[in-house]
Amino acid sequence: MMNTGLLLNATICFAIAISSLSFAWVLARSEDNQGRKSKPALWSLVVLWSLVGLTYFPTTIRMVAAYFGNHELDLLMYNLAAIPFSFVSVPLVFFIIYVITGEKKISAYTSMLFVIFGAAYLILLYSNGVTGPNVTIFSSIFTINSDFAINIYMAGLFVIPTAMIIGLLFLIFIQRMPKRLRYRTALPLVAISFVFDFMLTDMITLVDAMQLAARIFVLIGTVQAFLAYFPPLTLQEKLGIKKYQYELYEDELDEEEVDINV
Amino acid sequence: MSDDIDVNLEQKVAEFYQSLGIHQGPGDIQYRLILRVLEKNEGKITEFSEIREYTDPFADKGSIGSKMKTVFQLEGLVEKVKRGGYIITDKGITAANFLKDTSTFYKKNKRIEEIIERMP
């Protein structure tokens, strides 16, 4: 009965929830430093990371419930976590379309489409129900009964947004731009796709070790996103992306005169 | 091949190159407009008056005339075939193609700049 693996799982879920929510909070706090044009993108990221956090909070409770053998609470929390989870792609799609096109309206309409995808997934999930839980040493797993729900979810909620991220990354990589900007634009995207894809694995896998591994990677992705926005000084020095702090130097002598003096 | 000449765009591109310290060639609005007009009339005679239709807001007749002589004719980008009539050479087409690349570079650079601006 003492499945300590479940407690490890719960701890990882809790770490994901706390770190992504605090990341969302820190991002929201940085609003004043942002330009007018980047604010819509900033808020979509805040929503995205909040949804990740809100997915993993009930999941933490779910793992603890599984540890104590409370299957009703386990199921309840599974159903609760499914709500923020199925709308994770909405802010992400808004973010990518907005960054590429700069059109708020187009981005909003496109992301509305993903609200429909998410709602369809939820309706199918709730109406067809789930089987389980299958509690093992490391995790508690539900099997989604509706194959159609899984299909929607794979195609609509994950493949399209992931393809969009890859597209935007490609767009950034083929450009010549300052190293610092490249780091600042590419790393958050890599981190988001990391979190995003491993959340998918987490939700549909039927193997307990895989669920645990996926969650570890979600946690790594969250930390990576944090580093992308707030790189520590040592990392900045290593990658050569440190912004040199300088004051302008005004010289009365011309360069030629300096040459003569030498 | 090339459609109507967008004077405003040409001016913006020229200003962009000037801001990079490139004041001649791609950064020179007169050079840009003259070359675009000549390219548009590839295989035909370009009248000096047609060039002036585009360049008049930016420069007087004299400076365009001297630019035709000291840059375009001297470097063999055009050949003068009659009084006030020029025809673009193969070398001139090369210059015009380069000019197109500079416009593309400007647009690409601007697009990526805007993308970065929107990234939080």
Side-chain angles (χ1 to χ4, degrees), chain B residues 20-65:
Chain B
L20 296 181
I22 301 165
H23 294 269
Q24 270 153 17
D28 176 7
I29 180 70
Q30 297 179 25
Y31 176 87
R32 294 191 77 91
L33 288 175
I34 295 170
L35 200 51
R36 289 302 304 271
V37 179
L38 288 164
E39 186 209 11
K40 199 176 76 167
N41 295 336
E42 184 185 354
K44 282 186 291 185
I45 294 172
T46 305
E47 301 285 342
F48 189 61
S49 58
E50 195 183 342
I51 294 174
R52 284 199 48 207
E53 271 173 41
Y54 292 96
T55 55
D56 268 357
F58 303 99
D60 57 43
K61 184 182 166 189
S63 62
I64 298 298

Side-chain angles (χ1 to χ4, degrees), chain A residues 147-175:
Chain A
D147 284 343
F148 196 53
I150 294 179
N151 286 338
I152 286 190
Y153 167 91
M154 296 266 274
L157 299 183
F158 280 86
V159 174
I160 300 173
T162 307
M164 285 177 172
I165 294 183
I166 292 172
L168 183 54
L169 265 179
F170 185 68
L171 207 69
I172 289 168
F173 272 119
I174 56 170
Q175 303 295 331

